[in-house]
Amino acid sequence: ALPISSDEFKGNQGTLLPLWRFSSPKTRKLTVTSVAWNPKYSDLMAVGFGSYVFLNQVSGMVLFYSLKNPSYPEFIIETPDSGVLCLDIHPQHPTLFAAGFYDGSIAVYDIKQNLESPLYRCDVRSGQHLDPVWEVRWQKNDFDDNLNFYSVGADGRVVNWTIVKNELRYSDALLLKMPSGPTDSGPGGIRVQRYEHGRCFDFHPTRDDLYIVGTEDGRILQCSKGYSTKYIEAFSSQLGRLCCPVEYVPSENICLVQCGLESQNMGSYSN
């Protein structure tokens, strides 16, 4: 929700005055975790609610607000099993959206068909992440014209999800293996592969095969959809942990930006 009064005046830097306030009694104890604007209806936005207090997890919600009626949401979707951490609305199907949850699950909803339950939802037997899902992103239809999207999770997996008939299928697009490789751990010296915690990603604006992944430790990995076992290049960050998504700059060939949590600075990278 936006503050009632304007921000403190800061001389030449100016001040901000809120135009609308969006709130609901149903979300009073929840935290806003994601916002996505509808690509067709420019006044409509989806807001995901959950909790960043991971030791005290609660259920979540997705509320659709319109700028024409900020006093009450247009649609309300409850997610009783887990809090919402991310969501994305399909660019060509404005009633369809994908959501990622704290418990590692993924769900696809259609607000035109059903507000009570998702059309598709994965579980531990059908590709569910083992840790929280930090971002989901729709992509162009595949070669068979199936709807598909990607997700990245703290379990070190980038997953491609495809809707085939009445089924949500998955394939691991990339495993974010630690540069140091496997380490000896556990009884008998069992070699265990360690994975980096995926935090965010972005897809190249002109090349469908390229994307970048930001890790919790601040590394940025340039990846290709054609390689599922390794990334192409890694950028080591001096900004520490990520606090916002990485993005390609459309006007550049390959350029990315990030914001560090500890340093509160911006960084850009290109090759």
Side-chain angles (χ1 to χ4, degrees):
L2 294 172
I4 298 176
S5 58
S6 66
D7 291 345
E8 181 182 358
F9 183 73
K10 298 180 180 179
N12 294 332
Q13 296 181 11
T15 186
L16 293 176
L17 183 67
L19 299 178
W20 299 281
R21 178 183 175 89
F22 302 91
S23 63
S24 172
K26 293 180 176 293
T27 61
R28 188 167 297 166
K29 295 183 179 181
L30 300 177
T31 301
V32 174
T33 56
S34 52
V35 177
W37 287 94
N38 193 288
K40 181 177 180 180
Y41 306 103
S42 57
D43 66 303
L44 191 65
M45 64 177 175
V47 184
F49 293 87
S51 174
Y52 290 127
V53 183
F54 294 151
L55 296 180
N56 184 26
Q57 274 298 301
V58 294
S59 59
M61 301 184 75
V62 177
L63 272 57
F64 280 77
Y65 281 104
S66 172
L67 299 181
K68 299 177 182 178
N69 180 25
S71 60
Y72 194 80
E74 300 293 316
F75 305 100
I76 299 176
I77 298 174
E78 298 183 4
T79 60
D81 296 330
S82 183
V84 178
L85 287 182
C86 56
L87 55 86
D88 190 37
I89 302 174
H90 196 284
Q92 278 78 48
H93 303 278
T95 64
L96 197 69
F97 74 92
F101 298 88
Y102 171 78
D103 66 359
S105 62
I106 298 285
V108 177
Y109 293 82
D110 191 337
I111 59 175
K112 183 175 63 176
Q113 295 189 28
N114 191 348
L115 296 178
E116 300 296 327
S117 60
L119 296 178
Y120 310 95
R121 189 181 183 108
C122 70
D123 55 29
V124 293
R125 296 171 296 177
S126 56
Q128 177 176 326
H129 286 270
L130 302 178
D131 290 304
V133 181
W134 286 114
E135 192 165 6
V136 291
R137 188 78 63 86
W138 288 99
Q139 292 293 286
K140 296 179 181 178
N141 289 6
D142 64 14
F143 293 117
D144 296 321
D145 203 32
N146 295 314
L147 298 176
N148 75 102
F149 61 95
Y150 281 72
S151 65
V152 62
D155 59 352
R157 295 167 61 215
V158 178
V159 182
N160 178 215
W161 303 88
T162 306
I163 299 176
V164 182
K165 296 182 179 179
N166 294 320
E167 183 182 0
L168 182 62
R169 299 180 182 177
Y170 82 97
S171 62
D172 286 337
L174 182 65
L175 299 178
L176 305 177
K177 298 180 180 180
M178 293 286 288
S180 58
T183 58
D184 292 337
S185 176
I190 300 175
R191 299 181 66 81
V192 178
Q193 176 67 57
R194 294 189 301 167
Y195 297 93
E196 298 191 69
H197 301 296
R199 181 74 182 189
C200 50
F201 56 14
D202 191 27
F203 292 84
H204 197 280
T206 58
R207 292 186 55 178
D208 293 339
D209 61 316
L210 290 180
Y211 65 98
I212 51 177
V213 178
T215 70
E216 191 173 274
D217 293 333
R219 294 200 337 137
I220 299 178
L221 313 176
Q222 183 178 312
C223 312
S224 171
K225 294 180 180 178
Y227 297 94
S228 60
T229 58
K230 61 181 180 180
Y231 46 82
I232 301 174
E233 189 174 2
F235 299 86
S236 296
S237 170
Q238 302 298 321
L239 302 180
R241 292 182 298 158
L242 291 176
C243 67
C244 70
V246 291
E247 293 184 25
Y248 276 106
V249 177
S251 61
E252 300 292 336
N253 180 26
I254 299 177
C255 185
L256 26 129
V257 227
Q258 72 162 152
C259 182
L261 183 63
E262 289 88 355
S263 63
Q264 298 181 351
N265 293 323
M266 298 293 294
S268 61
Y269 308 82
S270 63
N271 68 346

